[in-house]
């Protein structure tokens, strides 16, 4: 990838962006992020999405995951992101509030990249190709381990929508089994992509 192409979407060079992301998280999470980026690039090539946008979205999708809760709550309140998300905790905050930090600190303004980050945890009832690619790449990148992960990776070679469906169903099943709070958007994604509601 040409550096100047990459720089279309960020205020930083590719190396600067990599360092900024690396410095913002643990080594383990950074490996996950690089795995997500690589998987997102492959999916973008396979399904005809913008490879640079997918790459950058993959790299920054968990940028806010390790910020202190107080800072995240401040970002949510100051930017009017909806205080209804506060009780859900950082698992739900980091994508939604993450886009504010990604725009401010990494200079990324592209709306498709920001939207993919915004919905990467819960999905949405109206996902773009890039949204689906980041949602799926996050789930199947090489560091992820769950039963059937090999089958799901193979499925992702042929049918992205089938993986969106699988991931949405299995994430919801797991949340229910663990008695965790379900964010409404997670249910909207289920209704749209698993039930098939229009
Ligand atoms: O940030 P990652 O761990 O790489 O992955 P992620 O952003 O997809 O998901 C973070 C966690 O959030 C994951 O364990 C699934 C969980 N999650 C997804 N939807 C919901 C949720 N957690 C709650 N409580 N409610 C949801 O609706
Ligand atoms: Fe995440
Ligand atoms: Fe992730």
């Amino acid at each position: 990838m040409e550096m100047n192409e990459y720089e279309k979407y960020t205020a930083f060079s590719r190396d600067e962006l990599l360092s900024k992301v690396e410095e913002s998280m643990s080594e383990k999470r950074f490996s996950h992020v690089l795995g997500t980026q690589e998987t997102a690039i492959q999916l973008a090539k396979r399904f005809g999405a913008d490879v640079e946008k997918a790459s950058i979205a993959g790299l920054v999708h968990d940028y806010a995951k390790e910020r202190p809760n107080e800072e995240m709550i401040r970002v949510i309140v100051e930017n009017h992101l909806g205080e209804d998300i506060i009780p859900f905790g950082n698992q739900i905050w980091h994508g939604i509030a993450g886009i504010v930090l990604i725009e401010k600190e990494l200079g990324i303004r592209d709306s498709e990249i920001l939207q993919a980050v915004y919905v990467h945890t819960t999905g949405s009832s109206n996902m773009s190709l890039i949204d689906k690619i980041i949602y799926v790449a996050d789930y199947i990148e090489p560091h992820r381990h769950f039963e059937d992960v090999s089958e799901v990776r193979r499925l992702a070679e042929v049918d992205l929508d089938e993986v969106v469906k699988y991931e949405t169903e299995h994430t919801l099943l797991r949340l229910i089994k663990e008695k965790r709070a379900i964010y409404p958007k997670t249910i909207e994604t289920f209704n749209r992509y698993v039930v098939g509601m229009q």
Side-chain angles (χ1 to χ4, degrees):
M1 183 182 304
E2 296 295 325
M3 190 178 274
N4 59 351
E5 283 181 64
Y6 204 90
E7 285 176 358
K8 264 202 310 222
Y9 301 113
T10 85
F12 297 96
S13 72
R14 192 174 188 282
D15 285 348
E16 283 170 335
L17 195 63
L18 266 174
S19 306
K20 282 184 168 288
V21 172
E22 185 172 19
E23 285 160 14
S24 71
M25 59 186 63
S26 68
E27 235 175 88
K28 188 160 180 258
R29 191 172 316 279
F30 188 59
S31 302
H32 156 70
V33 155
L34 293 181
T36 303
Q37 180 180 39
E38 202 42 58
T39 304
I41 291 170
Q42 287 168 15
L43 293 174
K45 287 180 178 161
R46 194 172 293 142
F47 297 108
D50 186 313
V51 175
E52 294 157 56
K53 288 195 192 200
S55 169
I56 295 169
L59 180 64
V60 303
H61 81 283
D62 278 338
Y63 181 67
K65 187 98 191 227
E66 296 185 9
R67 293 294 172 106
N69 285 350
E70 313 81 75
E71 181 182 354
M72 294 300 277
I73 290 170
R74 203 178 334 114
V75 170
I76 292 163
V77 173
E78 284 176 2
N79 294 278
H80 313 288
L81 302 181
E83 295 186 25
D84 56 313
I85 69 175
I86 289 175
F88 287 91
N90 199 240
Q91 295 203 328
I92 295 300
W93 305 339
H94 75 281
I96 297 169
I99 69 165
V100 172
L101 300 173
I102 287 161
E103 182 165 4
K104 195 163 89 188
E105 298 173 12
L106 305 178
I108 293 169
R109 292 202 175 75
D110 182 84
S111 63
E112 287 187 300
I113 295 175
L114 296 177
Q115 184 181 275
V117 174
Y118 188 92
V119 303
H120 86 265
T121 303
T122 61
S124 82
S125 59
N126 185 21
M127 294 167 85
S128 71
L129 181 56
I130 291 271
D131 295 346
K132 289 175 185 172
I133 284 173
I134 299 305
Y135 183 72
V136 166
D138 191 19
Y139 191 63
I140 64 166
E141 63 90 9
H143 302 87
R144 295 288 198 201
H145 301 287
F146 57 86
E147 216 190 319
D148 299 332
V149 71
S150 320
E151 285 78 0
V152 179
R153 286 186 184 122
R154 269 201 294 280
L155 188 56
E157 290 178 15
V158 291
D159 195 333
L160 188 66
D161 284 322
E162 276 303 313
V163 183
V164 170
K165 198 168 163 180
Y166 181 100
E167 174 177 347
T168 301
E169 178 178 351
H170 286 81
T171 300
L172 189 54
L173 278 168
R174 183 163 52 82
L175 292 168
I176 290 170
K177 192 147 188 293
E178 294 171 1
K179 296 188 169 54
R180 281 154 71 194
I182 314 295
Y183 186 60
K185 215 165 186 167
T186 301
I187 297 176
E188 287 174 23
T189 308
F190 179 82
N191 288 344
R192 172 69 179 83
Y193 292 102
V194 182
V195 177
M197 248 168 72
Q198 293 299 321

